Amino acid sequence: MNLSSRVRQGDTRAVAKLITMVENDFQHAQKILQELQQYCGKAIVIGITGPPGSGKSTITDRLTKHVRKMGKKVGIIAIDPSSPFTGGAILGDRIRMQDLATDKEVFIRSIGTRGHLGGLSRSTQAIVKIMEAMGKDIIFIETVGVGQSEIEVIKVSDIILLVVMPGMGDDIQVIKAGIMEIGDIFVVNKADRDGADKLITEIEMMIHLNDDGVRSPSIIKTIGTENIGIDPLWKEIERLIIYLQNSGQMYQRRKNRIRKEIYDLFQENWQEMFFQFIGEENLEKEVEKVIKQDNDPYSVVQKLTEIFKEKIFKGGI
Amino acid sequence: MKNTRIRVLVAKPGLDGHDRGAKVIARALRDAGMEVIYTGLRQTPEQIVETAIQEDVNVIGLSILSGAHMYLFPKIMELLTEKEATDIVVIAGGIIPTEDIMELKKIGIKEIFTPGTDTNKIVKFIKENVKIA
Amino acid sequence: MENAKSYWETNSLNKVLNKFPERKKTFVTGSNKEVNNLYDPLDLEDYDYLDDLGYPGEYPYTRGVQPTMYRGRLWTMRQYAGFGDAEESNKRYKYLLKNGQTGLSIAFDLPTQIGYDSDHPMAHGEVGKVGVAIDTLEDMEILFDGIPLDQVSTSMTINAPAAILLAMYTAIAEKQGIPASELNGTIQNDILKEYIARGTYIFPPLPSMRLITDIFDYCSQKLPKWNTISISGYHIREAGSTAIQEIAFTLANGIAYVDAAVKRGLDIDTFAPRLSFFFNAHNDLFEEVAKFRAARRLWAKIMKDRFGAKNPKSMMLRFHTQTAGCTLTAQQPDNNVVRVTIQALAAVLGGTQSLHTNSRDEALSLPSQKSVRIALRTQQIIGYESGVAETVDPMAGSYYLEKLTTEIEQGVKDYINQIDQLGGSPKAIEKGFIQREIQNSAYQYQKDIEDKKRIIVGVNKFQSEVEEPMKDLLKVKPEIEKRQVEKLKKVKEKRNEKVVRKNLMELKKIVSTEQNIMPAILDCVRSYATLGEICDKLREVFGEYKESIKI
């Protein structure tokens, strides 16, 4: 049985190996992803983001257990920041989800933000595809909502949960700065703490200011560690999905997702090809020229693009 | 283009709650550019093996100071065999007497790192023993 | 004096430094605190003997909590012991008592500490390994067979299920005809440090605090001689903290317990005298002695100023010490005897009330009989031969020591302020602040060893070419688990099942109210309900704690 068949059978090892291939050798993985494309599109992809410590992993764990009771199969992609210096990472989200490790219908994969040739989004898109092909009904993408690549990757989802908690202080500014516009549901976790109601008021004000008539995020209170608020949260998610599907917005979102996927792939493939064609030595020569003020980067790219185009027309690529 | 990254699962099997060593090593491996999956305390052999497979790790590092290694480690090796995952390199550390080390190596634990081991030694061992396809 | 010092520096010191520079650029204590070349009266300019030290037995107790200290009575020599089943451990206790140990200290296995019976799936492979397996009252009976409980004081290292073990101890004392009011001993009962550094928690923080304050309340009435808690810094230090962090996080936890008890309506001067502490004795002799004295002085001030305690006994920090396990090496294990000696000396010079000395083979296994005897003799030689116990607080007045004591006290105060800002110790733990501080220190410690800034003899300097494996290490018999499971089965067959069920139901009811749980636990224990059964009832009401802090 080949790899793609084994993936569709739900063979954990095969799935895991394919994911590794996506991260380490995308060109090779791409061929298999092509075979799997037809089995995709049925899963709901839910992004879960928010500042560190807000309880995302706990909420992911609880939601998963909740939908498991309904017989749904779940995939979880847990994204943690890699060290900008060493490229290494400590991927610790699983700590809060380890009950699920022995549930046969739950597949959890931890990834770091770095070292993804082609970017985190491309890898994540591919992993979503693999999880869909293996039969998952719900896929959670969990990531900290700071940093450009993390904000980008969360757009791979159909709907986005923003998990916040009282007492965050300046973190509310962080939320405003990037992910506010894309949150569909605000989860006010640790809602038993002081400041919960104040936070809800702040969020309501922010929503009001940003209201474009199309999106109107809802706010749900939870206490993840005590399993409180999970049922209402899931009901809200279901309600939102039905609403989006009926209003045609889900279709539009999915189209945007595909557009983004194609764009990302295109960008990466051409970027890789381009620089492969140039070769490291030649690139180095051009860089030396620029640093000696012998040339500028714009001219370099122009020149190389012309050579590249010529080569293509001559059929040399 | 190909990428090579080494993924290591650092696991605390059984009831032992001492995680100083595991955490120090996790950091050292990260500083050496590896991706470390740390799953916290009280992991059963089943949880460890299942996690190792899902995360497609190259190495499992087991840390135990409670003396229960002669029960838990064989269980873990058994499960890895059952799941046909014996290509994963298994190493261990903690309080493990010399006479047990022989036995454990026989069942497939590649190396045991006793107290006082330099973390650079562990990094080197991993780099030398992991085959990146 | 300043002039004299400048003169010395210019004319003597610098002359030598120019020819022979010092061995290192910077000199530091074991906790990486910088150490000067020399200390003199100039370092103690603001120092006042009566305010800062006082006399022993007098506020702020810097010099000790009793006026006579070891001249009245040597510290209790209390070796932590336990392994296998109750029969095995009973033998070891009798051996230690025969050899001059003056107090018992019980080590329980991990299943017992985490509220699992020996036949629980999570207990496989762990039964009897790090301590004695206790499933029912019958095991306790065997454990203390032939040991009269009115003649020993017993310390039990038990935390989450402390109430149950205390109940068992009380129940066997009953059987020996000894009233609870006569019992002397301690239960560790310090759950906050479990979340921080030790990992043998069961229930979440809030219900755990309830259990702890129930015990404070119950003991203040029924077991007035019992130390209800041993607020611990030992494990925090073992997890890699510095000396200042060890004291700071311990006292912060202490503050949290006192807060909880006071909130509950308990009278501080009734329960506070029975709080006790447990510290680590690490390598740096002066830093450790300074640390103990700083802890005493600061706790006294905290109890008086922050909590308004009036009873002098409420302000006295009494503590047990254990020599630092994390400093023991697997390489050249005999060196460990020397390390333990220096560490034990620090504890004694620091005025500890009781002491456990580690055995040389503990980086490899639990102590063998031969090794534990050496450990005990270490204490006895210090007490009887070295002369340090012949006068009270002999190191007082040392310029270095007093300066260090003050510096450590300040460092501790700073941390306590930070923790107060975060809302107290339980909140700081929830936010991961305390754990992160410790992890950073632990990582730095390891880096220092690898960079050879910190030397470990036999490990990164003066290594052996070939290590001779140690002989006669203790091995816990593999049949212990099977035997224990058999025993458990038999107890369940013999007991009155109806009574057990009734008592467990009653316990669940009481736990869900605000009533003190101890009487209900006593009933369960007397009817031979198992530790696991009782804990499961508590789990049903309280839930279980889940670790959640990232590295």
Side-chain angles (χ1 to χ4, degrees), chain A residues 7-270:
Chain A
V7 166
R8 286 197 298 110
Q9 298 258 329
D11 177 338
T12 312
R13 202 101 229 261
V15 168
K17 291 276 177 208
L18 181 55
I19 294 176
T20 303
M21 204 193 295
V22 160
E23 293 201 290
N24 290 354
D25 185 6
F26 193 82
Q27 296 308 330
H28 193 176
Q30 200 168 230
K31 300 190 182 81
I32 304 174
L33 294 173
Q34 279 176 287
E35 290 169 35
L36 297 174
Q37 179 67 32
Q38 55 180 300
Y39 305 106
C40 301
K42 297 191 206 102
I44 300 288
V45 184
I46 300 174
I48 300 185
T49 188
S54 55
K56 297 180 292 300
S57 300
T58 305
I59 297 287
T60 308
D61 173 75
R62 300 298 183 173
L63 279 174
T64 303
K65 288 177 175 143
H66 188 75
V67 302
R68 283 293 300 126
K69 289 201 204 113
M70 303 169 192
K72 298 198 195 288
K73 306 185 187 177
V74 179
I76 300 172
I77 305 172
I79 305 175
D80 264 318
S82 306
S83 158
F85 307 110
T86 68
I90 294 182
L91 309 174
D93 283 336
R94 283 192 85 120
I95 292 183
R96 301 167 200 59
M97 303 193 264
Q98 273 302 85
D99 287 348
L100 299 168
T102 46
D103 183 336
K104 295 278 169 251
E105 303 299 352
V106 177
F107 188 102
I108 304 173
R109 181 72 174 224
S110 312
I111 61 178
T113 49
R114 303 218 139 225
H116 294 268
L117 306 170
L120 182 59
S121 292
R122 188 178 77 167
S123 293
T124 308
Q125 282 272 27
I127 299 174
V128 167
K129 220 184 283 287
I130 297 169
M131 288 180 169
E132 284 186 292
M134 86 183 283
K136 299 307 184 198
D137 304 300
I138 314 269
I139 297 169
F140 292 107
I141 301 176
E142 191 223 310
T143 180
V144 176
V146 286
Q148 196 54 37
S149 59
E150 282 100 320
I151 295 174
E152 279 307 300
V153 77
I154 211 71
K155 292 181 185 169
V156 169
S157 324
D158 290 325
I159 66 172
I160 295 172
L161 267 48
L162 208 48
V163 182
V164 295
M165 65 171 178
M168 281 187 311
D170 290 333
D171 286 352
I172 198 83
Q173 302 304 321
V174 165
I175 297 177
K176 286 181 187 166
I179 36 186
M180 257 303 299
E181 310 99 59
I182 59 176
D184 291 303
I185 300 175
F186 280 83
V187 181
V188 175
N189 194 30
K190 310 194 190 185
D192 51 340
R193 292 219 191 146
D194 284 338
D197 290 321
K198 182 159 168 281
L199 179 59
I200 292 175
T201 311
E202 275 184 48
I203 295 173
E204 280 171 345
M205 273 170 32
M206 271 197 280
I207 293 174
H208 207 67
L209 286 173
N210 282 303
D211 198 341
D212 57 6
V214 179
R215 310 167 64 99
S216 190
S218 40
I219 304 175
I220 305 280
K221 296 209 288 204
T222 59
I223 305 173
T225 46
E226 295 176 31
N227 216 23
I228 292 175
I230 303 300
D231 187 45
L233 175 58
W234 181 253
K235 287 210 169 67
E236 180 57 24
I237 292 171
E238 280 186 321
R239 188 203 66 82
L240 179 63
I241 292 170
I242 292 172
Y243 165 73
L244 291 173
Q245 283 169 339
N246 290 347
S247 66
Q249 284 178 63
M250 182 63 86
Y251 187 72
Q252 195 54 47
R253 288 186 183 201
R254 291 269 170 100
K255 275 175 75 175
N256 290 342
R257 242 175 83 191
I258 293 171
R259 182 180 288 266
K260 177 173 160 46
E261 187 178 5
I262 293 174
Y263 188 86
D264 286 342
L265 284 166
F266 197 84
Q267 186 175 37
E268 276 319 312
N269 283 356
W270 280 90

Side-chain angles (χ1 to χ4, degrees), chain C residues 414-528:
Chain C
D414 291 340
Y415 261 119
I416 292 182
N417 284 336
Q418 263 190 293
I419 292 171
D420 279 340
Q421 296 287 338
L422 291 170
S425 178
K427 284 252 155 63
I429 295 171
E430 218 185 311
K431 295 187 175 151
F433 169 72
I434 294 179
Q435 296 92 315
R436 267 194 300 274
E437 291 292 300
I438 297 170
Q439 275 161 44
N440 288 339
S441 300
Y443 196 63
Q444 188 58 50
Y445 192 96
Q446 184 62 26
K447 284 269 143 269
D448 287 345
I449 291 173
E450 293 178 3
D451 297 337
K452 301 239 171 120
K453 288 203 192 118
R454 182 188 292 273
I455 301 295
I456 314 269
V457 172
V459 174
N460 64 358
K461 199 168 178 164
F462 310 119
Q463 296 103 320
S464 306
E465 291 254 340
V466 179
E467 284 289 339
E468 273 174 41
M470 236 199 145
K471 299 197 189 91
D472 302 325
L473 288 174
L474 185 107
K475 281 221 103 166
V476 176
K477 302 197 189 105
E479 323 87 74
I480 293 287
E481 185 168 329
K482 225 169 56 171
R483 271 204 334 237
Q484 191 64 19
V485 170
E486 278 302 310
K487 236 198 264 170
L488 182 57
K489 230 170 56 177
K490 287 209 185 83
V491 172
K492 284 185 170 169
E493 286 165 8
K494 271 194 299 188
R495 68 186 186 180
N496 185 330
E497 206 55 41
K498 266 217 195 103
V499 174
V500 174
R501 296 291 126 211
K502 180 172 136 289
N503 287 334
L504 287 171
M505 293 295 287
E506 191 55 33
L507 173 65
K508 188 168 178 181
K509 245 197 263 160
I510 304 266
V511 170
S512 319
T513 69
E514 302 226 323
Q515 292 174 66
N516 196 307
I517 45 136
M518 282 301 290
I521 293 193
L522 263 162
D523 285 336
C524 290
V525 148
R526 283 189 196 112
S527 59
Y528 294 89

Side-chain angles (χ1 to χ4, degrees), chain C residues 73-113:
Chain C
R73 199 180 61 167
L74 287 181
W75 64 91
T76 307
M77 301 184 189
R78 194 189 288 284
Q79 297 295 83
Y80 186 54
F83 52 86
D85 58 15
E87 279 95 350
E88 298 259 0
S89 295
N90 177 268
K91 280 196 211 114
R92 178 58 72 89
Y93 297 154
K94 288 184 169 143
Y95 174 79
L96 289 167
L97 288 169
K98 200 176 80 178
N99 271 283
Q101 169 167 296
T102 44
L104 286 178
S105 177
I106 317 294
F108 299 98
D109 70 5
L110 283 171
T112 304
Q113 292 188 56

Side-chain angles (χ1 to χ4, degrees), chain C residues 62-271:
Chain C
T62 319
R63 302 198 70 181
V65 294
Q66 287 117 4
T68 54
M69 287 302 291
Y70 306 134
R71 285 172 66 111
R73 199 180 61 167
L74 287 181
W75 64 91
T76 307
M77 301 184 189
R78 194 189 288 284
Q79 297 295 83
Y80 186 54
F83 52 86
D85 58 15
E87 279 95 350
E88 298 259 0
S89 295
N90 177 268
K91 280 196 211 114
R92 178 58 72 89
Y93 297 154
K94 288 184 169 143
Y95 174 79
L96 289 167
L97 288 169
K98 200 176 80 178
N99 271 283
Q101 169 167 296
T102 44
L104 286 178
S105 177
I106 317 294
F108 299 98
D109 70 5
L110 283 171
T112 304
Q113 292 188 56
I114 301 181
Y116 293 126
D117 288 335
S118 302
D119 58 359
H120 194 280
M122 288 297 284
H124 277 321
E126 313 257 16
V127 176
K129 289 279 165 57
V130 308
V132 66
I134 301 289
D135 292 323
T136 66
L137 187 61
E138 186 176 283
D139 291 312
M140 282 297 261
E141 286 163 0
I142 299 169
L143 191 66
F144 289 98
D145 179 55
I147 299 175
L149 296 187
D150 55 350
Q151 290 176 32
V152 285
S153 77
T154 304
S155 171
M156 295 194 276
T157 299
I158 192 79
N159 294 278
I164 301 163
L165 273 302
L166 180 60
M168 285 187 182
Y169 193 83
T170 315
I172 49 169
E174 264 169 17
K175 291 196 186 207
Q176 284 186 7
I178 302 166
S181 52
E182 288 305 300
L183 294 176
N184 265 300
T186 310
I187 36 172
Q188 197 166 83
N189 196 26
D190 171 8
I191 201 67
L192 290 175
K193 66 100 171 48
E194 296 297 325
Y195 301 125
I196 296 172
R198 193 167 178 268
T200 66
Y201 41 75
I202 307 177
F203 321 108
L206 268 163
S208 301
M209 295 297 263
R210 180 267 179 93
L211 286 174
I212 291 170
T213 50
D214 269 6
I215 292 174
F216 287 179
D217 193 15
Y218 184 80
C219 288
S220 64
Q221 293 160 46
K222 304 279 190 191
L223 283 94
K225 296 187 181 175
W226 194 266
N227 296 313
T228 52
I229 190 170
S230 183
I231 307 167
S232 305
Y234 175 80
H235 319 85
I236 290 171
R237 192 67 180 273
E238 290 293 290
S241 82
T242 62
I244 288 177
Q245 288 168 342
E246 179 191 339
I247 302 302
F249 300 152
T250 308
L251 297 193
N253 288 345
I255 291 172
Y257 291 125
V258 174
D259 267 334
V262 166
K263 260 199 198 95
R264 230 185 107 129
L266 302 184
D267 169 50
I268 191 167
D269 284 318
T270 308
F271 73 82

